[in-house]
Amino acid sequence: MPFIDLNLQQLQSKLAGGEFSSRELTRAYLDRINATGGSLNSFITICEESALAAAEAADIRRKKGDAAPLTGIPLAVKDIFNTEGIRTTAGSRILENYVAPYDATAIARLKEQGAVLLGKLNMDEFAMGSSNENSAAGPCRNPWDPNRVPGGSSGGSAAAVAARQAVATLGTDTGGSIRQPAGHCGVVGLKPTYGRVSRYGVIAYASSLDQVGPLARTVGDCALLLQAVAGFDPADSTSVDTPVPDYSAALGEDVRGLKIGLPKEYFIDGLDADVKQAVETAVAVYRDLGAEIVEVSLPHTDYAVACYYLVATAEASSNLARYDGVRYGRRVDNGSGLIDMYCRSRAEGFGDEVKRRIMLGTYALSSGYYDAYYLRAQKVRTLIRDDFNKAFDQVDLLLTPVSPTPAFKLGEKVNDPLQMYLSDIFTIPVNLAGTCAMSVPCGFSGQNLPIGLQLIGRPFGEETLLRAGHAYQQATEWHLKTAEI
Amino acid sequence: MSMTREQVAHVARLARLDLADNELDRLAADMDAILSYVDKLNELDVDGIEPTAHAVPMENAFREDRVRPSIGTEKALINAPAGDDSCFLVPKVIE
């Protein structure tokens, strides 16, 4: 079996058993990336030299008997993580030559274990987008159909796993940016609870919503990667100081007696027929496995997208003020003075969608509009969070579609920002509530496009998510299908 | 409601974005459409509802006031568009 067909758990045991070295494995992945990465445009930067050096160091570490779970495992990460000495662009022209001077905490934790970093993955500029079309590096394509988007903003992170260019990747999720591309590319994507993983060194979009999480082909592999990056970090004052459980231990338990809620607001008229059928079939699988299925209500679902596009853009307008052409990033010439230099550097460096969101956020926070927009949105956020709290009084998990349709075509929604925003209608509420959720492959459309199932858990309920996701993958074979590329 | 080019230009100045007239016109149309959509939040009665600024309720996060190594001048300056050995250079601010 070629290396690239193995999952992370299998790679671990074969590396441990000495069947191949990390250097051989890393070489195989780099060859795969070089052969297939160009047509998908999944990578922004390939780290060939440093990856091979890290692989050799991992092999030496293993010989010394000092291997950690991820020692020698080749991974790739969204180009939003600061990686010391490696160009980090966040998909933006304004950062096209930025070389990170330090590692994000999540990256440092992977490196401590001796993981191998293959490269930096394509993404929507500053994580703003649902299609990976807003990237200064050009759009990334869906491995299942190159005329379609991989989803976004972590499009490269999902496409690389689906194309078997990396066994697992890290992405970030602010309104669905891990789960939606995972769903569109037929892989597993986990957005942990807000505060579970440090955001230190992750280029910020909307700080009260951003969260780091893994993408992989199996739920078990996501558990391994989450284990590596989860936990309190003094450098991120919003990371939560609560013990990290043994996530892999949760995988063994069955779902008998688990109460799963179907929020009626997520099974609406606009839902694509293939998506509806795939999700209903998944519900039947859970029923057969012994879970109890009940209908619940999240009554403020319909307001989540509007709420999100005020909260997220307000935070973005503030976060992106740091790109001023002074300390790092693009600067045009000095112009007619400091303010002129700021204004022209930013106008030249940012893409259209980023400008649109900065403008919306600035407007929502501006004098005379703050109460009507930003403050009202924060109050609606409370109502949305209360919906989830009430639902979790009744059930252990929620089950929904990830997206209303399978992956759409490149160019289909670029000129209609509102339609693009509405494609995240099922993922956005989770970020506003701050809880955890996971996308799991659950079927294919008539056009052979992957469909994703979303499981939503209580805050810090990742173990229940993993347990239910793993049980589903034991009972189904959707995750074993591979894109032909 | 309807955004005028002048209003959009004002917001662009606040956001420190130097936008061309055609960009201002396009943004006026986009912002109009998006703001009419978000107006649906006015359907809800939010009187007496506490705003949620953050998903995790958190008071001030204190840590020990202790000197620790930091990134250092040289590293901090490697990405500077203009700098010398010890500082960032900016266009003249005071005449």
Side-chain angles (χ1 to χ4, degrees):
Chain A
M1 189 183 240
F3 297 144
I4 59 160
D5 290 333
L6 301 170
N7 65 38
L8 207 166
Q9 285 174 303
Q10 291 164 330
L11 291 181
Q12 279 182 329
S13 69
K14 290 183 189 288
L15 280 172
E19 284 189 43
F20 44 74
S21 67
S22 174
R23 170 146 185 136
E24 290 171 288
L25 180 61
T26 301
R27 185 70 262 167
Y29 270 114
L30 288 167
D31 290 345
R32 172 81 182 160
I33 293 165
N34 289 326
T36 57
S39 63
L40 288 179
N41 200 24
S42 45
F43 279 78
I44 292 179
T45 303
I46 302 169
C47 306
E48 180 144 347
E49 226 171 280
S50 60
L52 290 169
E56 278 167 27
D59 286 332
I60 292 167
R61 178 168 169 179
R62 186 173 298 281
K63 281 207 187 85
K64 284 187 190 153
D66 184 26
L70 297 180
T71 301
I73 302 283
L75 303 169
V77 301
K78 187 175 184 176
D79 204 19
I80 200 167
F81 293 92
N82 274 279
T83 43
E84 186 173 355
I86 297 171
R87 191 167 72 114
T88 299
T89 71
S92 183
R93 221 150 77 99
I94 212 163
L95 289 177
E96 66 187 346
N97 297 314
Y98 171 72
V99 175
Y102 69 105
D103 280 325
T105 298
I107 301 298
R109 288 186 176 174
L110 296 181
K111 285 187 179 173
E112 274 162 31
Q113 290 212 14
V116 173
L117 180 65
L118 295 166
K120 308 290 295 288
L121 297 159
N122 205 345
M123 57 181 285
D124 283 300
E125 183 178 4
F126 288 107
M128 298 180 192
S130 313
S131 68
N132 210 130
E133 290 168 292
N134 305 328
S135 167
C140 174
R141 290 167 184 275
N142 191 314
W144 294 90
D145 177 352
N147 296 316
R148 291 182 187 262
V149 303
S153 66
S154 311
S157 301
V161 172
R164 291 165 296 152
Q165 296 167 335
V167 69
T169 61
L170 283 184
T172 59
D173 190 316
T174 305
S177 282
I178 288 173
R179 291 159 287 154
Q180 185 253 22
H184 284 348
C185 291
V187 303
V188 182
L190 170 62
K191 185 206 95 75
T193 308
Y194 185 84
R196 181 70 292 182
V197 182
S198 169
R199 294 183 295 109
Y200 180 70
V202 181
I203 294 174
Y205 159 23
S207 302
S208 82
L209 304 163
D210 296 344
Q211 184 59 201
V212 172
L215 298 93
R217 293 205 297 278
T218 69
V219 172
D221 286 359
C222 280
L224 291 168
L225 205 45
L226 177 63
Q227 196 79 51
V229 296
F232 176 66
D233 174 14
D236 174 4
S237 63
T238 63
S239 71
V240 176
D241 196 0
T242 180
V244 179
D246 179 349
Y247 291 119
S248 294
L251 301 177
E253 296 173 54
D254 65 29
V255 295
R256 219 172 299 269
L258 203 68
K259 263 185 138 176
I260 299 180
L262 306 181
K264 62 179 184 198
E265 293 81 4
Y266 284 60
F267 294 85
I268 45 169
D269 284 345
L271 194 59
D272 176 89
D274 289 340
V275 171
K276 184 162 187 274
Q277 208 207 330
V279 173
E280 281 171 356
T281 307
V283 171
V285 170
Y286 275 111
R287 197 176 275 125
D288 288 347
L289 290 171
E292 188 188 336
I293 311 289
V294 295
E295 188 185 273
V296 295
S297 174
L298 299 169
H300 297 94
T301 299
D302 196 30
Y303 299 95
V305 172
C307 176
Y308 174 85
Y309 277 96
L310 291 170
V311 170
T313 59
E315 293 183 19
S317 76
S318 166
N319 271 326
L320 272 62
R322 72 190 63 179
Y323 302 101
D324 57 4
V326 173
R327 289 153 302 155
Y328 40 73
R330 190 184 187 89
R331 179 197 289 196
V332 299
D333 58 56
N334 286 347
S336 63
L338 189 64
I339 305 284
D340 189 47
M341 186 278 279
Y342 291 157
C343 293
R344 295 200 297 129
S345 299
R346 289 163 61 77
E348 243 189 67
F350 292 137
D352 288 344
E353 181 60 27
V354 172
K355 286 180 191 168
R356 192 147 48 218
R357 295 197 196 188
I358 289 174
M359 289 288 288
L360 269 174
T362 303
Y363 182 72
L365 290 175
S366 66
S367 174
Y369 298 98
Y370 180 94
D371 285 2
Y373 288 113
Y374 184 59
L375 188 64
R376 175 168 285 264
Q378 286 188 315
K379 290 179 176 181
V380 174
R381 184 175 181 182
T382 305
L383 297 173
I384 290 166
R385 199 171 62 155
D386 289 348
D387 282 356
F388 281 94
N389 287 339
K390 282 177 198 150
F392 286 124
D393 286 341
Q394 301 169 56
V395 296
D396 301 304
L397 268 185
L398 298 167
L399 189 160
T400 78
V402 176
S403 308
T405 67
F408 45 90
K409 290 202 168 121
L410 282 152
E412 193 178 318
K413 299 189 183 185
V414 278
N415 293 320
D416 192 344
L418 195 53
Q419 278 313 307
M420 187 75 94
Y421 298 171
L422 287 167
S423 68
D424 294 333
I425 188 165
F426 300 146
T427 49
I428 276 173
V430 169
N431 300 78
L432 292 168
T435 192
C436 58
M438 184 165 65
S439 173
V440 184
C442 74
F444 288 85
S445 73
Q447 291 168 299
N448 200 37
L449 299 169
I451 294 171
L453 160 78
Q454 177 172 235
L455 299 169
I456 306 171
R458 292 193 179 96
F460 297 97
E462 282 83 359
E463 288 167 285
T464 310
L465 278 187
L466 293 164
R467 168 185 162 196
H470 182 70
Y472 180 77
Q473 289 200 319
Q474 296 304 107
T476 58
E477 295 193 335
W478 303 114
H479 60 293
L480 301 177
K481 305 223 182 286
T482 50
E484 282 174 29
I485 173 162
Chain B
M1 69 170 305
S2 165
M3 298 275 287
T4 63
R5 186 199 282 180
E6 287 64 40
Q7 280 175 304
V8 179
H10 171 68
V11 178
R13 272 193 300 278
L14 293 175
R16 298 283 189 255
L17 288 168
D18 178 29
L19 302 178
D21 283 352
N22 64 335
E23 274 187 293
L24 293 174
D25 289 339
R26 207 173 55 227
L27 275 165
D30 287 349
M31 288 173 74
D32 247 2
I34 296 164
L35 290 170
S36 341
Y37 177 75
V38 304
D39 271 345
K40 73 188 284 138
L41 297 185
N42 292 322
E43 293 166 13
L44 295 170
D45 179 7
V46 294
D47 279 355
I49 306 282
E50 284 293 313
T52 296
H54 234 267
V56 182
M58 211 177 273
E59 293 296 313
N60 286 338
F62 291 110
R63 60 178 158 76
E64 223 182 308
D65 185 14
R66 188 162 47 84
V67 178
R68 287 175 305 172
S70 64
I71 201 163
T73 312
E74 198 186 323
K75 264 191 176 179
L77 283 164
I78 55 170
N79 286 289
D84 65 10
D85 291 345
S86 60
C87 53
F88 300 102
L89 297 180
V90 294
K92 198 169 175 183
V93 181
I94 303 161
E95 291 302 327

